[in-house]
Amino acid sequence: MKLEAVNLSRRFTRIKGDANYFTAVSPTDFSLKEGAVTVLMGRSGSGKTTLLNMLGGLLEPSTGSVSVDGRDLYAMDDDERSRFRNRCIGVMPQGHSALSSLTVLENVILPHALYGAGEDAEEYARELLSRFAIADISDVRSSELSGGEARRMTIARALICRPGIILADEPTGDLDDENTVLVLETLRSLADEGASVLIVTHENDAARFADEIYRMDGGTLKKI
Amino acid sequence: MNIRSLPIKNLKKKPGRTAVLLILVIFLSFAVFAGSVTVSSLGNGLSGLERRLGADIIVVPSSARSHVDLEQMLLSGTPGYFYMDKSNLGKVLSVEGVEKASPQYFMASVKAGCCSLKTQIIGFDPDTDFSVTPWISESYQSRLETQDVVVGSDITVPVGGRVRFYDVNCNVVAKLAPTGTGLDTAVYANDDTVKILMQAAADKGMAQTEGDPDTLISAIYIKVADGYDVQTVADYINIYMKKVEAVPARSMLSGISDSLSGISDTIKLLVAAVWILAFVIMIIVFSGLVNERKKEFAVLRVVGMSRKMLARLILTESLILSVIGGVIGIALGAAVVFPFSAAIEARIGLPFLTPGAGTVILLAALSLVAALVAGPAASAYSAYKLSRVDTGVILREGM
Ligand SMILES: Nc1ncnc2c1ncn2[C@@H]1O[C@H](COP(=O)(O)OP(=O)(O)OP(=O)(O)O)[C@@H](O)[C@H]1O
Ligand SMILES: [Mg+2]
């Protein structure tokens, strides 16, 4: 799937000096190509997560639009957009996002179960778990996981509906070198299978897997 | 993994949090149920008493007013007696506006070897009676023969058993439905039986009057004809008849009904206060809870839950709590109110008559509704507030 953002920007109200708003992302055009890995780097606070959330339909932009295969995300109503995200956009949020009342396996199946039968997804869920080497803890409550285990579970969860677009916000943040490579390779191979992949990362290693590299600087996006 | 199991899983995951909310709902539904049953029992007791009296006016000797607490005797069944001449009945019957008049005969049994129990004995004239008969006929359709008695519900002698008054044996032929008052300890018989008992008491030197039982009556129960004012008829009797006093039944009950409505109002106020208090605490708890769970909710949105689905999840959780808590609260309320209704009656000194199963079920249903409304309503505001904010923003706040 192809994702296209036009004139996308986001401001937050924040009283600072004489300005009463703050521009987290300056107006920018941006796109994700099918079968390509796009890497986005940049300092902390530069606006990477803000951009990624807008691309994922999670944050209403101040200006501009985001469309996936020609469908304008923010022209949809909430029901439609939620369902669309569920099927087509795999988002790995920054930081911890385990649902603590569910087991690892349940966490991974959940997105698939939202709009249908979760049972159908179990086989693929187990496959993902073993791909990320957490199959042995599939019945453990996710509140008991280590940072790296939780992170890998989140990645598996984002992939369960086989989304055409994958938005990964610092997916390797908690991982050791070995797992970092594993995750990046997996994302790379998903792109090779046709997905459009965006990876926000501080990891210089990621450049190796990238087709395109962007840098965010104070809200301004630059292609490298 | 079924999405429908998510609310239960969430509740199980945080037993402490769930318990606090449950206790609030239990508290709330307990108060509503116990309170409403109490209020309705009191109202029921009063109307039972009104029906039981069955008369518009009761004429008693003037001395009864000064010597005996008439209300205590007629309404609470405190054993007592007084007498006047039978000729008063004819005079009363000739008063304009009196549709029916029937005499009653009171006597008390004593706590002594000759009597099986100390109680109020009330005799009536089966030919003219309109106040006791309808109510006896609920449990006994045949005519009372001499030495047959009908007993109040609190008298433990079974139907078919015998009671002895002044060494006269009487057959218990029926037991009355409870009224929730002291009248439940009284014994009813026809006039002939009472005269026999009076004679037997006199023979034992325990006469309750010097007069001849055949010329005496204790009270006259009057039914006023349609179109006549009860008070006017009573006033007329009081002006034109000597040595008797006509008391409108309403006025006798007004003391009770006043304190009853006072107590009912207090209980209603208390129930409302508890409900509101528990509701407000629940709103606070829920909003704290939604705050604490922001990240969790944001993640659900990230993986594709819509606002509506998320709101449904939050409401379902609170609904489950409300149903469980509501049922427990009502069960606890029932466990307190029903077994202790006698104690409550004694304590507040008012007629207390538990309503029938239909009313109790209705009150239970209403209490459950009160709980069902409180939980979801308390969480609705937090759920709504949460749904107004972009997921991307919540994701950050929850971190
Ligand atoms: N909801 C918000 N309200 C106000 N300011 C916000 C909000 N979200 C983000 N910002 C601000 O926008 C800027 C960009 O934030 P963002 O999270 O996009 O940075 P980032 O590049 O992802 O940083 P990091 O690498 O630390 O994750 C920050 O200065 C942040 O304070
Ligand atoms: Mg970020």
Side-chain angles (χ1 to χ4, degrees), chain B residues 29-42 267 271 329-345 348 352-355 360 363 367:
Chain B
S29 60
F30 172 87
V32 172
F33 183 65
S36 61
V37 168
T38 305
V39 166
S40 122
S41 299
L42 290 172
I267 295 174
V271 168
I330 289 167
L332 284 180
V336 168
V337 176
F338 298 130
F340 296 111
S341 62
I344 296 172
E345 182 195 334
I348 55 185
F352 189 95
L353 188 62
T354 309
V360 169
L363 291 176
S367 310

Side-chain angles (χ1 to χ4, degrees), chain A residues 43-50 52-53 94-95 169-170 200 202, chain B residues 396 399:
Chain A
R43 280 219 194 85
S44 181
S46 57
K48 304 182 297 294
T49 297
T50 305
L52 182 136
N53 283 340
Q94 189 172 2
D169 199 349
E170 305 199 14
V200 171
H202 295 289
Chain B
R396 305 176 47 85
M399 273 193 273

Side-chain angles (χ1 to χ4, degrees), chain B residues 104-373:
Chain B
Q104 291 202 357
Y105 308 82
F106 301 152
M107 76 177 294
S109 64
V110 293
K111 207 168 180 166
C114 63
C115 298
S116 11
L117 52 121
K118 177 178 156 71
T119 186
Q120 173 78 19
I121 301 167
I122 299 172
F124 60 94
D125 170 17
D127 297 329
T128 58
D129 177 70
F130 58 88
S131 74
V132 181
T133 309
W135 166 64
I136 285 180
S137 68
E138 282 174 23
S139 36
Y140 190 64
Q141 281 80 21
S142 322
R143 201 180 156 89
L144 283 189
E145 299 300 333
T146 306
Q147 295 188 28
D148 280 353
V149 296
V150 173
V151 298
S153 65
D154 284 351
I155 289 183
T156 50
V157 183
V159 173
R162 277 163 180 250
V163 278
R164 195 161 31 86
F165 297 118
Y166 302 102
D167 285 333
V168 175
N169 280 321
C170 298
N171 310 313
V172 176
V173 296
K175 190 168 277 201
L176 298 168
T179 61
T181 67
L183 283 178
D184 292 340
T185 61
V187 168
Y188 298 81
N190 67 23
D191 45 357
D192 293 338
T193 308
V194 174
K195 281 173 194 161
I196 289 171
L197 295 180
M198 285 166 84
Q199 193 56 55
D203 292 349
K204 288 194 167 309
M206 293 193 266
Q208 293 174 352
T209 169
E210 290 98 53
D212 173 4
D214 279 331
T215 65
L216 296 175
I217 58 176
S218 294
I220 303 167
Y221 279 49
I222 295 175
K223 176 139 187 32
V224 172
D226 282 346
Y228 286 89
D229 179 49
V230 170
Q231 190 62 50
T232 313
V233 174
D235 288 347
Y236 183 88
I237 294 171
N238 283 330
I239 292 168
Y240 293 102
M241 286 177 65
K242 302 265 167 332
K243 290 200 208 155
V244 300
E245 185 161 347
V247 187
R250 263 289 138 61
S251 78
M252 226 160 24
L253 292 173
S254 72
I256 294 187
S257 89
D258 282 353
S259 47
L260 201 104
S261 65
I263 289 209
S264 293
D265 287 350
T266 310
I267 295 174
K268 284 179 200 158
L269 213 72
L270 227 78
V271 168
V274 167
W275 196 91
I276 291 170
L277 193 75
F279 183 60
V280 168
I281 296 175
M282 270 164 79
I283 292 182
I284 296 169
V285 171
F286 268 117
S287 89
L289 203 144
V290 166
N291 239 349
E292 176 199 320
R293 297 175 64 187
K294 259 185 186 169
K295 178 75 188 233
E296 176 191 338
F297 294 143
V299 169
L300 289 170
R301 297 274 283 133
V302 165
V303 300
M305 251 198 191
S306 67
R307 278 189 188 127
K308 279 182 207 148
M309 292 167 79
L310 187 59
R312 207 177 303 142
L313 172 74
I314 296 173
L315 291 183
T316 307
E317 284 184 28
S318 61
L319 203 64
I320 292 172
L321 285 172
S322 300
V323 171
I324 298 174
V327 169
I328 296 177
I330 289 167
L332 284 180
V336 168
V337 176
F338 298 130
F340 296 111
S341 62
I344 296 172
E345 182 195 334
R347 173 118 206 122
I348 55 185
L350 287 171
F352 189 95
L353 188 62
T354 309
T359 310
V360 169
I361 290 170
L362 185 74
L363 291 176
L366 286 178
S367 310
L368 193 63
V369 168
L372 292 192
V373 167

